[in-house]
Amino acid sequence: MSGPFLWYLNRGTGVVLLVLFTATVVLGLLSVSRRPGVRRVPQFFVQGLHRAVSGMATALLLVHVISAVLDTYVDIRWYDVFVPWGGTYRPIYLAAGAIAVDLLLAVRLTSLARARLSDRAWRVVHLLAYPSWAASVAHTVGIGTDMATPWLRVLVVGCVGVVVAVGVTRLALVRRMAPGRA
């Protein structure tokens, strides 16, 4: 099965996924602030939005994967979605996508089972969202057919810039609030 519909569907979902996963990471970083008086938006709202956006991203990822596998224009097999070696179409970048999916799957499954896990175990696995996001950016850069266009380059740089800025700010706050620091 091939044709412009699947190609546009795969392309479009890929771009929207980059934005949704970026928003998910940023909302996750914003939802963990424990400093009193800093939060202008209630924490339950930010966490709820984080969960909703991540759920939408997960559903859209399914559409992205299905459209990639169904489109016979390039050879992407169903197991290439999970196995980061052996892919024939742009193998390094396809592997980055598979790694992103695998890590995201671990984060998603442990989030669904959070009540059965210790907070520490859940947090350790949840940290895999960061390398998952980075692998998805690498996947976009290497396999995205629109990377030659200025709009996608600007979008990718913007997504990376936002995550880095919020992440550095978050780390600075954590460091400043660390016990024993004056």
Side-chain angles (χ1 to χ4, degrees):
M1 178 186 270
S2 187
F5 174 75
L6 285 174
W7 185 70
Y8 282 116
L9 180 65
N10 187 264
R11 218 172 121 197
T13 55
V15 171
V16 174
L17 279 168
L18 176 64
V19 173
L20 288 177
F21 283 137
T22 298
T24 301
V25 168
V26 168
L27 288 166
L29 284 165
L30 293 175
S31 71
V32 293
S33 174
R34 291 183 180 89
R35 187 169 182 188
V38 169
R39 187 171 299 283
R40 290 197 170 105
V41 178
Q43 188 169 0
F44 74 87
F45 178 79
V46 177
Q47 287 177 345
L49 191 56
H50 171 71
R51 285 187 203 107
V53 172
S54 70
M56 285 189 315
T58 303
L60 194 61
L61 179 61
L62 188 59
V63 174
H64 181 69
V65 163
I66 290 170
S67 64
V69 171
L70 288 179
D71 190 353
T72 56
Y73 183 73
V74 294
D75 184 27
I76 298 176
R77 298 158 302 214
W78 68 268
Y79 52 86
D80 290 333
V81 174
F82 306 103
V83 180
W85 59 85
T88 57
Y89 178 72
R90 298 187 182 176
I92 291 177
Y93 301 110
L94 189 60
I99 290 167
V101 167
D102 293 343
L103 294 175
L104 183 66
L105 195 57
V107 170
R108 195 74 182 147
L109 291 174
T110 55
S111 290
L112 292 173
R114 185 173 183 182
R116 297 176 182 263
L117 299 171
S118 70
D119 276 347
R120 181 171 173 80
W122 176 82
R123 283 188 199 290
V124 167
V125 175
H126 214 72
L127 289 173
L128 294 175
Y130 301 115
S132 174
W133 175 82
S136 72
V137 171
H139 175 75
T140 301
V141 168
I143 220 166
T145 55
D146 290 318
M147 274 311 294
T149 63
W151 68 267
L152 188 56
R153 279 189 255 139
V154 167
L155 183 69
V156 169
V157 168
C159 287
V160 170
V162 167
V163 168
V164 168
V166 173
V168 166
T169 303
R170 172 73 182 126
L171 285 173
L173 283 173
V174 166
R175 190 161 181 213
R176 196 167 9 140
M177 293 172 19
R181 289 193 55 105

